[in-house]
């Protein structure tokens, strides 16, 4: 199985970005970058392709679903797995996110001590 080496986390909330960077950084082998918007995420991903993107759904300007659509429209980024991180976890919303092409969903609020495990489980499901 392909090893997860780099994650890009996208969220407009600086405190959450910092928590995610710290939580995922505990792994020591995982390169974690953060971005504050969908636009900056696209630029960052084109500059250095991540293995996985964790993407907040609710953001100003370009929300998570619109950002995912832009990723899928960009040939270089089209195959990068994107996981939504959101408080919107009703079954109909989960179904919609799957239809948009999300590789998974992590519920907010998440437990920072379990986040790395959740990310690895999704990664193994994608590449297992």
């Amino acid at each position: 199985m392909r090893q997860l080496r780099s994650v890009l986390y996208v969220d407009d909330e600086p405190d959450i970005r910092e928590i995610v960077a710290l939580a995922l950084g505990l792994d020591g082998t995982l390169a974690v970058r953060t971005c504050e918007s969908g636009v900056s995420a696209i630029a960052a991903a084109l500059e250095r392709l991540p293995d996985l993107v964790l993407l907040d759904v609710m953001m100003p300007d370009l929300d998570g679903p619109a950002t995912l659509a832009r990723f899928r429209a960009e040939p270089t980024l089209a195959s990068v797995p994107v996981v939504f991180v959101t408080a919107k976890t009703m079954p109909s919303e989960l179904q919609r996110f799957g239809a948009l092409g999300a590789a998974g969903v992590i519920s907010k609020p998440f437990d920072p001590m379990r986040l790395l495990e959740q990310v690895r489980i999704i990664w193994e499901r994608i590449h297992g």
Side-chain angles (χ1 to χ4, degrees):
M1 179 178 70
R2 190 170 150 222
Q3 187 174 353
L4 178 62
R5 298 185 198 282
S6 62
V7 172
L8 176 62
Y9 181 71
V10 188
D11 197 308
D12 59 313
E13 294 289 333
D15 293 346
I16 298 176
R17 287 197 307 271
E18 188 174 339
I19 289 167
V20 168
L22 289 170
L24 296 181
L26 293 173
D27 177 86
T29 65
L30 191 58
V32 181
R33 289 182 301 152
T34 64
C35 289
E36 71 283 349
S37 70
V39 172
S40 64
I42 293 163
L46 286 169
E47 178 184 301
R48 194 168 60 219
L49 195 67
D51 291 332
L52 183 70
V53 175
L54 301 177
L55 181 59
D56 185 24
V57 169
M58 303 289 288
M59 294 186 294
D61 301 324
L62 196 63
D63 68 4
T67 302
L68 175 57
R70 295 235 185 131
F71 263 75
R72 294 297 170 251
E74 177 65 48
T76 307
L77 305 177
S79 64
V80 175
V82 174
V83 174
F84 282 129
V85 182
T86 182
K88 295 179 164 260
T89 56
M90 297 293 292
S92 61
E93 292 160 329
L94 295 175
Q95 187 176 17
R96 184 180 135 233
F97 297 149
L100 293 173
V105 175
I106 294 174
S107 298
K108 278 185 177 179
F110 53 82
D111 177 352
M113 300 311 292
R114 287 204 58 241
L115 183 61
L116 181 59
E117 176 188 353
Q118 288 177 284
V119 167
R120 292 207 180 282
I121 288 168
I122 292 170
W123 180 257
E124 289 170 10
R125 190 172 60 225
I126 295 167
H127 292 284

